[in-house]
Amino acid sequence: MVDAKKNDTYFKEQLEVISERIEVSAQSVGRNPHEINIIAVTKTRSIAEIEKLISVNHRIFGENRVQEAQGKFLKLKERFPNLELHLIGHLQTNKAKDAIALFDVIETLDRPKLAKVLLKEMEKQDRWPRCFIQVNTGAEEQKAGVLPAEAPAFVEDCRKMGLPIEGLMCIPPVDEDPAIHFAFLRELGRRVGLEQLSMGMSGDYEIAVRFGATHVRIGTALFGPRDYSV
Ligand SMILES: *Cc1c(COP(=O)(O)O)cnc(C)c1O
């Protein structure tokens, strides 16, 4: 069900509010706001809600799970070929084939085994989604991502293999100041020559923009709270 309040104006207004905040943050550090992309995170959201965002000219989306994304975006991408879909959740190697077929950007490349499988699928399908390497900046045990100390070598290995590596992605620990993690990711990006940085969510995207985010991943601030029961 689409919430009746969430008509086209609702999404247009939410996008405007978020864009204005991004603009203020970007300008406060002398950045061009136009280099920052809003990824609308649509996990648990309906096709109808996504269509409403498309109708107000939004075109960049993020999903966490391959199967859920297929259910919505296989059809949507046929109807709207200029959509850009990012995978922002953990990718199992047995879903690599479907992920390569559907996504335009894989943000969660985080281990050598996955790099191998992705490359093989890309060659097979001759489809080359851009890749971001997920860095576990907080070295959290339960979290995916390559460890900070191992990141430079992993980036280099992936490049040597021929993978289209374009950026870095991180999800800071919930109980820490995200700024430290954003600053770290930017510094790492500089060191390894990757300018695209996917960092910042509904609660901290303005901070992320000040620290160089080129992609912010926004769910709740656009759609309201998620309902996992549906
Ligand atoms: C769900 C999710 C988001 C969006 O979170 P919000 O707080 O709703 O903006 C961003 N990034 C990742 C990796 C997510 O899983």
Side-chain angles (χ1 to χ4, degrees):
M1 274 297 291
V2 188
D3 188 332
K5 291 198 300 276
K6 287 183 189 164
N7 50 26
D8 295 354
T9 326
Y10 171 90
F11 284 115
K12 196 159 176 279
E13 284 169 1
Q14 295 306 102
L15 276 172
E16 276 167 9
V17 168
I18 294 164
S19 300
E20 273 166 29
R21 289 186 175 175
I22 288 174
E23 197 173 318
V24 171
S25 280
Q27 282 166 352
S28 77
V29 292
R31 295 188 63 201
N32 176 0
H34 294 116
E35 69 190 31
I36 297 143
N37 300 281
I38 299 173
I39 301 172
V41 176
T42 49
K43 59 172 177 255
T44 78
R45 314 297 177 178
S46 67
I47 292 177
E49 283 178 290
I50 297 167
E51 281 176 337
K52 287 195 180 290
L53 265 174
I54 295 171
S55 76
V56 294
N57 290 324
H58 190 77
R59 61 173 205 96
I60 308 179
F61 295 89
E63 283 278 348
N64 290 63
R65 291 158 171 273
V66 175
Q67 214 169 347
E68 181 179 347
Q70 283 177 317
K72 302 177 208 171
F73 282 94
L74 280 176
K75 275 182 253 157
L76 284 168
K77 286 183 105 194
E78 262 175 38
R79 289 169 52 207
F80 308 100
N82 71 340
L83 294 189
E84 178 180 301
L85 187 60
H86 291 233
L87 177 65
I88 61 168
H90 184 66
L91 179 57
Q92 293 169 274
T93 48
N94 64 359
K95 300 271 170 62
K97 179 179 173 193
D98 290 339
I100 294 299
L102 179 64
F103 290 92
D104 303 291
V105 182
I106 309 269
E107 293 201 8
T108 50
L109 173 50
D110 66 350
R111 57 198 192 278
K113 172 94 194 290
L114 183 61
K116 267 190 214 129
V117 176
L118 285 180
L119 181 67
K120 214 169 121 197
E121 268 313 318
M122 288 182 189
E123 286 170 338
K124 211 155 145 191
Q125 300 184 31
D126 195 17
R127 211 184 118 72
W128 301 85
R130 287 134 55 204
C131 295
F132 285 33
I133 286 170
Q134 182 177 359
V135 184
N136 186 357
T137 58
E140 294 174 278
E141 201 138 324
Q142 79 287 3
K143 202 167 267 175
V146 61
L147 289 170
E150 292 163 9
F154 184 57
V155 170
E156 209 35 55
D157 289 346
C158 288
R159 278 183 172 142
K160 278 194 195 131
M161 291 169 65
L163 283 165
I165 305 297
E166 301 214 341
L168 301 173
M169 178 269 212
C170 78
I171 309 170
V174 285
D175 53 354
E176 284 182 29
D177 179 0
I180 295 161
H181 296 271
F182 298 153
F184 175 83
L185 201 71
R186 175 175 61 184
E187 198 42 48
L188 180 61
R190 279 185 184 150
R191 252 168 56 211
V192 300
L194 290 172
E195 281 168 17
Q196 311 264 334
L197 301 174
S198 174
M199 55 190 198
M201 324 202 313
S202 292
D204 55 18
Y205 65 91
E206 290 160 279
I207 304 169
V209 166
R210 289 208 298 277
F211 284 92
T214 57
H215 295 76
V216 292
R217 308 179 305 265
I218 303 197
T220 313
L222 256 179
F223 295 96
R226 273 183 291 277
D227 179 359
Y228 285 101
S229 65
V230 291

